[in-house]
Amino acid sequence: MIRVRQVEVYFENDNLEEIKKQTAIKLNIHSNKIKTIKINKKSLDARKKPKLKYIYEVDIETDEDYKILKHHKKDVIETPDEKYQLQITGTKKLEHQIVIVGSGPAGLFSAYILAQNGYKPIIIERGEKVEDRIKSVEEFWKTGKLNKNSNVQFGEGGAGTFSDGKLNTLTKDPNHRMKKVFEIFVECGANPDIMYDYKPHIGTDVLRTVVQNMRNKIIEMGGEFYFETCLTDIHTKENCLYEIEVNHNRTVLCENLILAIGHSARDTFQMLLDHKLRMSPKPFAVGIRIQHLQSMINESQYGMKSHPLLPPASYKLTYQTKSGRGVYSFCMCPGGYVVNASSEEGLLAINGMSNYQRESENANSAIVVSVKPEDYGNGVLDGLNFQRTLEQLAYQEGDGLIPIQTYQDFKENKMTTSLKNVKPIFKGNYKLVNVNRIFPKYISDSLIEGIEYFGTKIKGYNSSDAIIAGVESRTSSPVRIERNENLESNIKGIYPCGEGSGYAGGITTAAMDGMKIAEMIISNYQSLDGRK
């Protein structure tokens, strides 16, 4: 097969026959000579809006592949082998089942690869299985009654389950782990278009089913899940793990522990630090969520307010303030919702979420400001405490509800008393306040400077009626759990993994990091069913 790049199709004519036709034109052959065609990549070219084009990369098969390769040096290559390969070479004997802490993407994908190869892992999760977790979260949004162990942050699927399910990443992937991640998602119910779409997303509604299906597949392959089971202590001998404690009342023998704990397991970070697990503070970002009419974003990005053949438009914005501080959009949710994502009593954090169809009238995105240890202190958990301080102020400002404000009032540092054209779309109740009171002045000033600049990139972005809400504080982990070249911590047998440990930045990178940990263990140990 051969791979043909830069095949252009106008969006109104976007179908497989037209893609095949334009591929044939590019190669100067008749379309009936193309025996098979498969889309490998798809992106949108909006540089000449509203005349938008999709740019395709396709794999085709003809009877003249060699001839085409010889005569078309530009944009035509032999289709490379991009299959994920796993070499199983371990010889050590496992004394006990591998335990994975956390069932977010890092935990699920490490479990999947281990189970697929006969290692029968145990997955413990402090929250509920996803179908029960949904009920707890919806009850919280409706009544404010928080389940501290099962919420938007904790529970099967991790924090990403209540998000947009975005899968884009800039990580280079020579081992083709990302493709394997997407293949597993599709096998478990995700739309196959994630295999090639330029901005793949699953959607929170579909992701919940995908997570359930992954769990069932892992169980079928020999894995075990224990929900409402929290890691509460670790026991070591001569700097080696030999046992863990769960729920303060039961011990489990374990010499290999994968820590896929997520970025919000603050009590677990403290417990691990008490055991002198080596950690360091790291930069992260905090800020607000901003809502605009989706039609305004569409018009800026597409040159039209809507079109039935186009998805709701997204954006990515970055800026460096005059003081050198980074301001950027994060986890942008077209046609989405802003959700109360709190996980501790008396503290309030928010996040963004979209269904697969991205059907709401508003676009929302976090706009966040980078912070470094020198901003909040160099103690290992000082960043975590900084997050808590902002979340406590947000809770107090909104009297336990999501604090919101118009952008104009935020700029003028005054209380919002009424909203204008943009209608608030939230999961969880909200209150009109002055969001400025949550932040140190340097963060508020940086947000205003950044949003004003973004208004020069997207017309209306800095409009007075945009709605902002606080506080977006869980962009990434404020700590990194150190690991060596064998991916182990300074305590032998503990493998820090994923976003919570500081090695990922979203669903895809967390899943890939979970796979790396599984591969490392497989390279050292025999499987429990005797395979090598």
Side-chain angles (χ1 to χ4, degrees), residues 6-23:
Q6 296 296 311
V7 176
E8 299 182 359
V9 175
Y10 283 101
F11 82 95
E12 300 98 328
N13 302 322
D14 186 34
N15 59 71
L16 195 59
E17 279 304 310
E18 183 66 16
I19 298 166
K20 185 177 179 180
K21 175 184 172 182
Q22 294 303 323
T23 303

Side-chain angles (χ1 to χ4, degrees), residues 318-333:
T318 62
Y319 175 70
Q320 188 174 57
T321 67
K322 294 171 183 175
S323 64
R325 200 174 288 274
V327 182
Y328 57 94
S329 61
F330 172 81
C331 187
M332 191 269 155
C333 296

Side-chain angles (χ1 to χ4, degrees), residues 35-65:
K35 296 162 64 177
T36 64
I37 183 167
K38 181 182 178 183
I39 300 168
N40 189 58
K41 287 183 183 177
K42 175 184 179 180
S43 60
L44 183 66
D45 182 353
R47 289 174 295 179
K48 296 181 179 179
K49 48 183 166 283
K51 294 184 177 181
L52 311 182
K53 295 184 290 188
Y54 284 114
I55 309 297
Y56 282 96
E57 180 178 283
V58 295
D59 292 329
I60 67 169
E61 184 180 8
T62 75
D63 290 328
E64 301 175 354
D65 286 0

Side-chain angles (χ1 to χ4, degrees), residues 101-102 154 231 258-265 268-269 272 481 497 500-501:
V101 185
F154 299 137
L231 175 70
I258 299 176
L259 281 177
I261 56 177
H263 56 43
S264 295
T268 308
F269 286 130
L272 295 170
I481 304 176
C497 179
S501 296

Side-chain angles (χ1 to χ4, degrees), residues 344-412:
E344 293 180 85
E345 295 285 1
L347 307 181
L348 190 144
I350 59 173
N351 194 12
M353 179 179 98
S354 296
N355 290 323
Y356 179 73
Q357 295 294 338
R358 293 173 163 172
E359 74 282 7
S360 93
E361 293 181 5
N362 287 0
N364 78 75
S365 178
I367 301 298
V368 291
V369 179
S370 59
V371 291
K372 300 177 181 179
E374 50 263 38
D375 294 313
Y376 52 76
N378 286 298
V380 171
L381 300 184
D382 283 351
L384 184 154
N385 293 328
F386 179 70
Q387 290 177 324
R388 274 185 165 145
T389 297
L390 296 181
E391 292 170 17
Q392 184 179 44
L393 290 168
Y395 185 92
Q396 293 170 350
E397 186 64 25
D399 290 329
L401 309 181
I402 300 171
I404 78 168
Q405 185 177 26
T406 65
Y407 176 60
Q408 184 65 36
D409 289 342
F410 183 74
K411 280 198 300 182
E412 296 177 6

Side-chain angles (χ1 to χ4, degrees), residues 1-237:
M1 295 185 77
I2 56 176
R3 178 163 292 173
V4 186
R5 296 170 171 150
Q6 296 296 311
V7 176
E8 299 182 359
V9 175
Y10 283 101
F11 82 95
E12 300 98 328
N13 302 322
D14 186 34
N15 59 71
L16 195 59
E17 279 304 310
E18 183 66 16
I19 298 166
K20 185 177 179 180
K21 175 184 172 182
Q22 294 303 323
T23 303
I25 291 171
K26 185 177 182 72
L27 298 177
N28 197 27
I29 61 173
H30 198 281
S31 62
N32 63 14
K33 290 191 174 183
I34 299 176
K35 296 162 64 177
T36 64
I37 183 167
K38 181 182 178 183
I39 300 168
N40 189 58
K41 287 183 183 177
K42 175 184 179 180
S43 60
L44 183 66
D45 182 353
R47 289 174 295 179
K48 296 181 179 179
K49 48 183 166 283
K51 294 184 177 181
L52 311 182
K53 295 184 290 188
Y54 284 114
I55 309 297
Y56 282 96
E57 180 178 283
V58 295
D59 292 329
I60 67 169
E61 184 180 8
T62 75
D63 290 328
E64 301 175 354
D65 286 0
Y66 176 77
K67 182 179 176 182
I68 292 170
L69 282 168
K70 185 177 179 181
H71 287 91
H72 293 271
K73 302 295 183 183
K74 185 180 180 182
D75 297 331
V76 182
I77 61 170
E78 187 174 356
T79 300
D81 181 4
E82 296 173 334
K83 187 177 180 181
Y84 170 73
Q85 299 285 349
L86 179 62
Q87 300 296 323
I88 303 174
T89 58
T91 57
K92 296 179 187 177
K93 184 179 178 181
L94 272 173
E95 298 298 328
H96 308 287
Q97 286 171 276
I98 298 156
V99 177
I100 300 166
V101 185
S103 63
L108 284 176
F109 276 86
S110 60
Y112 192 100
I113 297 301
L114 287 167
Q116 193 174 50
N117 288 278
Y119 288 77
K120 302 177 182 178
I122 294 172
I123 302 93
I124 62 172
E125 166 58 57
R126 71 192 300 161
E128 298 166 302
K129 63 178 66 174
V130 70
E131 52 267 45
D132 295 330
R133 181 188 179 195
I134 292 167
K135 296 174 186 175
S136 293
V137 170
E138 289 178 346
E139 174 73 8
F140 169 62
W141 286 339
K142 183 178 178 181
T143 68
K145 182 181 178 182
L146 177 67
N147 182 333
K148 292 188 291 184
N149 285 317
S150 194
N151 44 62
V152 171
Q153 306 296 342
F154 299 137
E156 187 180 24
T161 305
F162 291 90
S163 70
D164 187 52
K166 281 178 285 296
L167 303 177
N168 41 309
T169 174
L170 299 177
T171 302
K172 292 184 179 179
D173 185 29
N175 296 305
H176 311 301
R177 294 188 185 100
M178 184 168 68
K179 190 168 186 178
K180 180 67 173 177
V181 167
F182 287 13
E183 287 172 351
I184 293 170
F185 275 141
V186 171
E187 287 170 11
C188 293
N191 193 308
D193 65 11
I194 67 172
M195 297 299 302
Y196 55 79
D197 199 276
Y198 69 117
K199 289 184 178 177
H201 85 287
I202 297 179
T204 186
D205 49 344
V206 177
L207 187 57
R208 298 167 186 181
T209 300
V210 170
V211 166
Q212 290 182 59
N213 290 339
M214 278 196 73
R215 179 219 309 159
N216 292 333
K217 283 180 176 288
I218 290 167
I219 292 171
E220 287 171 9
M221 294 185 290
E224 301 175 40
F225 282 80
Y226 295 92
F227 296 103
E228 300 178 70
T229 303
C230 184
L231 175 70
T232 50
D233 206 355
I234 61 172
H235 300 153
T236 63
K237 288 180 182 177

Side-chain angles (χ1 to χ4, degrees), residues 166 168 199 285-290 292 297 301 314-320 326-333 363-370 446-447 450-451 453-454 457-458 461 472 475 505:
K166 281 178 285 296
N168 41 309
K199 289 184 178 177
V286 297
I288 51 93
R289 282 253 156 202
I290 189 165
H292 301 92
I297 304 299
Q301 303 297 76
S314 63
Y315 58 80
K316 185 175 182 180
L317 298 166
T318 62
Y319 175 70
Q320 188 174 57
V327 182
Y328 57 94
S329 61
F330 172 81
C331 187
M332 191 269 155
C333 296
N364 78 75
S365 178
I367 301 298
V368 291
V369 179
S370 59
S446 297
L447 287 169
I451 292 170
Y453 172 78
F454 298 154
K457 300 298 179 181
I458 295 177
Y461 200 88
E472 178 87 26
T475 55

